[in-house]
Amino acid sequence: MSNQNKAASQGARERISLLKVLGPAHVWALGVGIVLVGEFMGYNFSIGKGGALGSIIACWFIGLLYTCVAMIDSEVTSTVAAAGGQYSQAKHIIGPLMAFNVGLYLVFAYTMLEAADALVVGDLLVEAAKDFGHPDLDPRPFVVFTIAILAWLNYRGVFMTLTVNFIITAVAFVSIYVLFIGAKGWAPGEFIQPEGLLTDLPYGWLGVISAFQFAIWYYLGIEGTCQAAEEVRSVARSLPLGTMTGMMTLLIAATITWYLTASLVPWEYLGVSYIPQYDAARALGNPFVTLCMFVGTLFSAVASANGTINDAARAWFSMGRDRYLPVWFGAVHPRYRTPYRSILFLVPVAISFAFTGLLDQVITFSILSGLLGYTFMPINMMRFRKLWPLGSIRRGYVHPFHPFPAITLFLLCCLTYFATFLGYGTQLLAMMTFYIVASLWFHFHRYKYVKRGDQFQMSWPRPKGY
């Protein structure tokens, strides 16, 4: 009897899983919520690298890169419906070492992005305090408070977390249109100065390529929608719909953002500003628009930090559940059904990065980790179609023109590596060294704990050729 009770108790523990409560709007809120902060800050460093014209060229080329990412992700994730996103894809399609690396790319990309978002919140509040006569405000308490309150929200449940994200992301998106209306964006001449957009190429085509690195900021994080795969009610419908509509939203927002800010603020100043949208509103001189852009910038940074906590925790949780990391991280909260230990563990990591105060360095490390993840995706897609051709397994979405999106994505990733090397070669080499050392640790130490048969969650047929 005792053994039966133990078995029943163990069975109950094993049945605790993440809740399937999300719909397409939550997926949109997760993807766009993480990224939209890039339309309020960070993207403008691309203007500093390549001028206004160079920035929009880089914006559209990188937009093509992310469209390929969204198409590939939508197809694979509509099939691999598991938390961990690209990590779960890699373990099913390529193998454990690639999966371990992809998991680390995701965790560091999102955690550093979370740190950057918290820094923006702190800097924005300090900037606003200066306008009210308090120039010596310390931003660090705001950084800690932002991360702590959002971690608590994530701890309490994914439905509430992403519902809040949907509301504040929508408000931030509308604020961009408030700036457009306030600046009479449809009528160049009064506020909009077209000559600010046509700056030629101050640093030539090499400057345009250099701008690729920060043009990523317009879209960085849209691939995070995959992390919700295990918690959506209908993966085949919600993931592709939320991801593709999110990508369209960002392409529109990126172009409007560039048009407005490059028209209102000289590109030489815009290229070094930490809060370019807010600066553009102040240049307009309209108090209501300035207030809206303050709220929009604040909400976009909070929404991004909120989404990155969600995504980093899912990737870390998945690696713990599969024993790639200590299995302690793979626990689900018995009441809130969230990966609560992973959420709490990553809080001090994010705060320590944020306390460096080096916003551009933190952004660069986030971008590099994301870029490494994008480089894996074309390889993953090619192998996925080879092992399980169309018709062999059920797909919720099939992206067109294969293999051209995968080839385009790989070529654009190579070009962006070169752009990063031009500006941050030391950081690029340091990051590569870190991931090589981590791979050696996994291969020689951690891999013996992995139970390969337990990590496969999909009931797919035997792959072609095996």
Side-chain angles (χ1 to χ4, degrees):
M1 185 66 183
S2 176
N3 289 337
Q4 288 177 346
N5 290 338
K6 284 182 179 177
S9 175
Q10 186 176 357
R13 283 199 300 270
E14 289 174 351
R15 283 196 294 273
I16 296 176
S17 58
L18 303 178
L19 279 176
K20 288 183 176 295
V21 292
L22 304 178
H26 296 102
V27 176
W28 179 92
L30 180 59
V32 178
I34 290 177
V35 185
L36 198 61
V37 66
E39 329 297 43
F40 288 85
M41 49 75 61
Y43 78 90
N44 55 303
F45 296 143
S46 69
I47 295 177
K49 294 284 185 181
L53 189 57
S55 175
I56 193 62
I57 294 171
C59 168
W60 287 338
F61 268 97
I62 295 297
L64 178 61
L65 183 155
Y66 275 91
T67 301
C68 295
V69 166
M71 290 167 65
I72 291 172
D73 255 349
S74 293
E75 176 171 334
V76 184
T77 309
S78 69
T79 310
V80 185
Q86 292 81 3
Y87 155 77
S88 294
Q89 298 172 18
K91 75 179 181 183
H92 284 92
I93 299 170
I94 297 185
L97 184 59
M98 175 62 86
F100 174 76
N101 275 281
V102 171
L104 283 189
Y105 301 157
L106 293 169
V107 171
F108 276 94
Y110 294 132
T111 304
M112 292 183 186
L113 189 51
E114 175 190 343
D117 293 329
L119 274 170
V120 171
V121 171
D123 289 341
L124 186 64
L125 292 175
V126 168
E127 196 70 21
K130 286 179 183 175
D131 293 343
F132 288 95
H134 301 283
D136 300 323
L137 204 63
D138 186 350
R140 287 177 294 184
F142 299 110
V143 169
V144 174
F145 180 75
T146 300
I147 293 175
I149 197 70
L150 294 177
W152 174 82
L153 190 63
N154 275 269
Y155 182 96
R156 291 295 300 270
V158 69
F159 185 82
M160 181 173 64
T161 298
L162 295 187
T163 300
V164 170
N165 236 41
F166 178 79
I167 295 170
I168 59 179
T169 300
V171 171
F173 185 68
V174 169
S175 74
I176 296 175
Y177 284 93
V178 172
L179 181 61
F180 183 82
I181 295 170
K184 298 182 180 178
W186 62 89
E190 185 174 356
F191 298 109
I192 299 292
Q193 303 300 323
E195 59 270 21
L197 307 173
L198 305 174
T199 55
D200 294 323
L201 299 176
Y203 306 114
W205 283 100
L206 194 60
V208 177
I209 294 173
S210 299
F212 274 45
Q213 177 197 355
F214 286 107
I216 283 181
W217 205 241
Y218 282 113
Y219 314 99
L220 178 66
I222 184 65
E223 74 283 358
T225 55
C226 298
Q227 299 296 330
E230 201 166 318
E231 295 163 275
V232 295
R233 292 188 294 269
S234 172
V235 180
R237 172 176 173 268
S238 299
L239 255 299
L241 184 59
T243 304
M244 298 306 288
T245 54
M247 194 61 218
M248 287 187 279
T249 304
L250 293 173
L251 283 167
I252 294 169
T255 304
I256 294 176
T257 293
W258 169 84
Y259 171 70
L260 292 173
T261 55
S263 300
L264 293 170
V265 181
W267 73 269
E268 295 89 345
Y269 176 79
L270 193 62
V272 297
S273 172
Y274 279 90
I275 41 176
Q277 287 271 28
Y278 188 52
D279 285 339
R282 288 196 292 195
L284 197 60
N286 183 324
F288 176 73
V289 175
T290 303
L291 176 62
C292 287
M293 293 317 299
F294 173 80
V295 172
T297 306
L298 186 65
F299 277 17
S300 67
V302 171
S304 181
N306 198 23
T308 52
I309 292 173
N310 178 92
D311 285 357
R314 265 63 181 175
W316 198 255
F317 156 78
S318 299
M319 294 170 74
R321 186 170 59 180
D322 294 335
R323 299 175 183 270
Y324 284 58
L325 296 171
V327 73
W328 186 81
F329 292 115
V332 176
H333 196 285
R335 180 178 178 186
Y336 303 122
R337 310 283 288 275
T338 55
Y340 65 111
R341 290 177 183 167
S342 296
I343 292 171
L344 296 178
F345 175 77
L346 293 174
V347 167
V349 178
I351 291 175
S352 62
F353 280 121
F355 267 32
T356 64
L358 303 172
L359 182 60
D360 62 334
Q361 298 288 335
V362 172
I363 290 174
T364 299
F365 277 108
S366 176
I367 288 172
L368 284 174
S369 296
L371 192 57
L372 286 167
Y374 306 146
T375 310
F376 134 83
M377 292 178 68
I379 303 168
N380 188 58
M381 187 67 231
M382 293 285 194
R383 187 168 170 77
F384 181 55
R385 283 284 184 101
K386 181 181 177 184
L387 296 180
W388 291 279
L390 296 181
S392 61
I393 56 176
R394 182 176 179 275
R395 289 165 161 84
Y397 170 83
V398 177
H399 82 264
F401 310 121
H402 178 77
F404 295 109
I407 294 171
T408 303
L409 175 58
F410 185 77
L411 293 176
L412 288 173
C413 283
C414 292
L415 195 59
T416 310
Y417 278 121
F418 178 65
T420 306
F421 182 77
L422 292 177
Y424 294 87
T426 304
Q427 290 88 335
L428 177 62
L429 294 175
M431 185 66 90
M432 297 292 282
T433 303
F434 168 77
Y435 284 119
I436 290 171
V437 171
S439 297
L440 292 173
W441 173 82
F442 177 76
H443 179 76
F444 289 108
H445 174 69
R446 191 66 210 175
Y447 183 62
K448 61 189 176 191
Y449 298 101
V450 177
K451 296 181 179 179
R452 291 205 59 180
D454 292 347
Q455 63 178 322
F456 295 103
Q457 298 160 290
M458 301 295 111
S459 55
W460 292 346
R462 186 180 292 273
K464 185 179 180 181
Y466 286 80

